[in-house]
Amino acid sequence: MSDLYAVIGNPVAHSKSPLIHARFARQTGQDIHYEAILAPLDGFVETVVAFRQRGGKGANVTVPFKLEACALSSRLTERAKAAGAVNTLVFEADDILGDNTDGAGLVRDIVVNLGYALGGQRVLLMGAGGAARGVIRPVLEHEPAVLTIANRTRQKADDLQQLFASSGNVVSTAYGDLRGQEFDLVINATSASLHGDLPPQPKGIFAAASLAYDMMYGKGHTPFLQFAQQQGAARLADGIGMLVEQAAESFFLWRGTRPETEPVIEMLRSSLGSP
Ligand code: ATR
């Protein structure tokens, strides 16, 4: 019988994870079955317990359960502790190990797939919610010159700055104060693109040869990537690479083998009609 894995979320029907993990399994010859499970909003823990009873060996966790998954874990990896959220569960005999592969996925997409070294670069992170928090430590591990966090609600950016101040050169700011500053990498970790909105960043923030990265994706460029293109950002990237890389990192954790991500990124890009 195949080893059983799942993604648990609400909603979850749109999730690309079953498709991605099926491709990984075929490519690496691993015998797994991976399904999507819709958990009731007030029934995450019960859903996990039932899945484990059915023989589940591990799970990905998506919106809105990443904090509950963190609380449910009996052990956490360092990066899950730093992220304060869990997107990958490993069911062990006596423990539930909680990990977070989102930040590692983002950084791997930027550094390996896009070939963009982060060391010494000026990085702007827009947003201070769960998505932003998860990527701070993995980015700082690459020792950028500065990591500036901008958020609409300034206090949340300040809180993250304090939380990570001992891990690198982290600055928090309001969007308006970005005027006159330039960055080599601008990451949109806000949920603005989900609503077709643009974060209120000023013009002129993209340095020559800069990379604009939107953690969201869709058909065509997101509003942020359109803005970045108009503003002369040298390179544009959406979140498809991150999506596949975070999945590969989970797969590696579960199966001990690292799948090739490039063909899966290409397959998703063409099926989504993304640029
Ligand atoms: P996630 O888990 O995706 O990070 P979240 O924790 O709700 O979701 O955080 C959403 C982030 O997107 C926040 O930083 C939010 O800014 P506020 O803290 O000021 O609410 C940001 N955000 C959402 N819509 C935005 C918009 N139109 N412009 C700027 N920032 C936006």
Side-chain angles (χ1 to χ4, degrees), residues 8-12 61-66:
I8 302 173
N10 186 332
V12 80
V61 179
T62 188
V63 177
F65 300 124
K66 290 185 186 183

PDB file of all heavy atoms in Angstrom, residues 8-12 61-66:
ATOM      1  N   ILE A   8      -3.910  19.813   4.097  1.00  0.00           N
ATOM      2  CA  ILE A   8      -5.122  20.110   4.868  1.00  0.00           C
ATOM      3  C   ILE A   8      -5.323  21.621   4.893  1.00  0.00           C
ATOM      4  O   ILE A   8      -4.412  22.369   5.267  1.00  0.00           O
ATOM      5  CB  ILE A   8      -4.988  19.563   6.315  1.00  0.00           C
ATOM      6  CG1 ILE A   8      -4.735  18.046   6.282  1.00  0.00           C
ATOM      7  CG2 ILE A   8      -6.241  19.888   7.133  1.00  0.00           C
ATOM      8  CD1 ILE A   8      -4.421  17.433   7.646  1.00  0.00           C
ATOM      9  N   GLY A   9      -6.485  22.072   4.486  1.00  0.00           N
ATOM     10  CA  GLY A   9      -6.756  23.514   4.449  1.00  0.00           C
ATOM     11  C   GLY A   9      -8.245  23.771   4.353  1.00  0.00           C
ATOM     12  O   GLY A   9      -9.062  22.854   4.364  1.00  0.00           O
ATOM     13  N   ASN A  10      -8.585  25.063   4.267  1.00  0.00           N
ATOM     14  CA  ASN A  10      -9.982  25.456   4.049  1.00  0.00           C
ATOM     15  C   ASN A  10      -9.987  26.889   3.510  1.00  0.00           C
ATOM     16  O   ASN A  10      -9.748  27.807   4.282  1.00  0.00           O
ATOM     17  CB  ASN A  10     -10.772  25.380   5.357  1.00  0.00           C
ATOM     18  CG  ASN A  10     -12.254  25.644   5.129  1.00  0.00           C
ATOM     19  OD1 ASN A  10     -12.639  26.353   4.187  1.00  0.00           O
ATOM     20  ND2 ASN A  10     -13.093  25.101   5.983  1.00  0.00           N
ATOM     21  N   PRO A  11     -10.177  27.115   2.237  1.00  0.00           N
ATOM     22  CA  PRO A  11     -10.501  26.121   1.202  1.00  0.00           C
ATOM     23  C   PRO A  11      -9.245  25.360   0.791  1.00  0.00           C
ATOM     24  O   PRO A  11      -8.129  25.796   1.071  1.00  0.00           O
ATOM     25  CB  PRO A  11     -10.999  26.998   0.054  1.00  0.00           C
ATOM     26  CG  PRO A  11     -10.252  28.288   0.204  1.00  0.00           C
ATOM     27  CD  PRO A  11     -10.083  28.479   1.694  1.00  0.00           C
ATOM     28  N   VAL A  12      -9.455  24.250   0.076  1.00  0.00           N
ATOM     29  CA  VAL A  12      -8.295  23.462  -0.334  1.00  0.00           C
ATOM     30  C   VAL A  12      -8.435  22.931  -1.759  1.00  0.00           C
ATOM     31  O   VAL A  12      -7.474  22.439  -2.350  1.00  0.00           O
ATOM     32  CB  VAL A  12      -8.062  22.314   0.685  1.00  0.00           C
ATOM     33  CG1 VAL A  12      -9.001  21.152   0.426  1.00  0.00           C
ATOM     34  CG2 VAL A  12      -6.611  21.879   0.726  1.00  0.00           C
ATOM     35  N   VAL A  61       0.101  21.840   5.560  1.00  0.00           N
ATOM     36  CA  VAL A  61      -0.981  22.599   6.162  1.00  0.00           C
ATOM     37  C   VAL A  61      -1.021  23.961   5.496  1.00  0.00           C
ATOM     38  O   VAL A  61       0.019  24.603   5.319  1.00  0.00           O
ATOM     39  CB  VAL A  61      -0.736  22.770   7.677  1.00  0.00           C
ATOM     40  CG1 VAL A  61      -1.846  23.592   8.293  1.00  0.00           C
ATOM     41  CG2 VAL A  61      -0.635  21.407   8.344  1.00  0.00           C
ATOM     42  N   THR A  62      -2.224  24.360   5.088  1.00  0.00           N
ATOM     43  CA  THR A  62      -2.335  25.656   4.437  1.00  0.00           C
ATOM     44  C   THR A  62      -3.397  26.499   5.131  1.00  0.00           C
ATOM     45  O   THR A  62      -3.913  26.129   6.196  1.00  0.00           O
ATOM     46  CB  THR A  62      -2.538  25.469   2.911  1.00  0.00           C
ATOM     47  OG1 THR A  62      -2.464  26.744   2.288  1.00  0.00           O
ATOM     48  CG2 THR A  62      -3.864  24.802   2.577  1.00  0.00           C
ATOM     49  N   VAL A  63      -3.689  27.645   4.527  1.00  0.00           N
ATOM     50  CA  VAL A  63      -4.615  28.621   5.108  1.00  0.00           C
ATOM     51  C   VAL A  63      -5.895  27.959   5.567  1.00  0.00           C
ATOM     52  O   VAL A  63      -6.442  27.132   4.828  1.00  0.00           O
ATOM     53  CB  VAL A  63      -4.957  29.679   4.029  1.00  0.00           C
ATOM     54  CG1 VAL A  63      -5.972  30.688   4.532  1.00  0.00           C
ATOM     55  CG2 VAL A  63      -3.677  30.391   3.594  1.00  0.00           C
ATOM     56  N   PRO A  64      -6.452  28.228   6.736  1.00  0.00           N
ATOM     57  CA  PRO A  64      -5.949  29.174   7.749  1.00  0.00           C
ATOM     58  C   PRO A  64      -5.348  28.459   8.960  1.00  0.00           C
ATOM     59  O   PRO A  64      -5.419  28.978  10.059  1.00  0.00           O
ATOM     60  CB  PRO A  64      -7.246  29.887   8.162  1.00  0.00           C
ATOM     61  CG  PRO A  64      -8.265  28.759   8.134  1.00  0.00           C
ATOM     62  CD  PRO A  64      -7.818  27.785   7.069  1.00  0.00           C
ATOM     63  N   PHE A  65      -4.734  27.306   8.762  1.00  0.00           N
ATOM     64  CA  PHE A  65      -4.398  26.439   9.905  1.00  0.00           C
ATOM     65  C   PHE A  65      -2.920  26.422  10.300  1.00  0.00           C
ATOM     66  O   PHE A  65      -2.531  25.592  11.120  1.00  0.00           O
ATOM     67  CB  PHE A  65      -4.855  25.000   9.591  1.00  0.00           C
ATOM     68  CG  PHE A  65      -6.333  24.854   9.341  1.00  0.00           C
ATOM     69  CD1 PHE A  65      -6.806  24.301   8.160  1.00  0.00           C
ATOM     70  CD2 PHE A  65      -7.254  25.270  10.291  1.00  0.00           C
ATOM     71  CE1 PHE A  65      -8.173  24.152   7.921  1.00  0.00           C
ATOM     72  CE2 PHE A  65      -8.633  25.121  10.068  1.00  0.00           C
ATOM     73  CZ  PHE A  65      -9.087  24.562   8.877  1.00  0.00           C
ATOM     74  N   LYS A  66      -2.106  27.297   9.722  1.00  0.00           N
ATOM     75  CA  LYS A  66      -0.656  27.180   9.979  1.00  0.00           C
ATOM     76  C   LYS A  66      -0.293  27.462  11.445  1.00  0.00           C
ATOM     77  O   LYS A  66       0.678  26.904  11.955  1.00  0.00           O
ATOM     78  CB  LYS A  66       0.136  28.092   9.047  1.00  0.00           C
ATOM     79  CG  LYS A  66       0.105  27.609   7.595  1.00  0.00           C
ATOM     80  CD  LYS A  66       0.988  28.458   6.698  1.00  0.00           C
ATOM     81  CE  LYS A  66       0.820  28.033   5.248  1.00  0.00           C
ATOM     82  NZ  LYS A  66       1.704  28.766   4.334  1.00  0.00           N
TER      83      LYS A  66
END
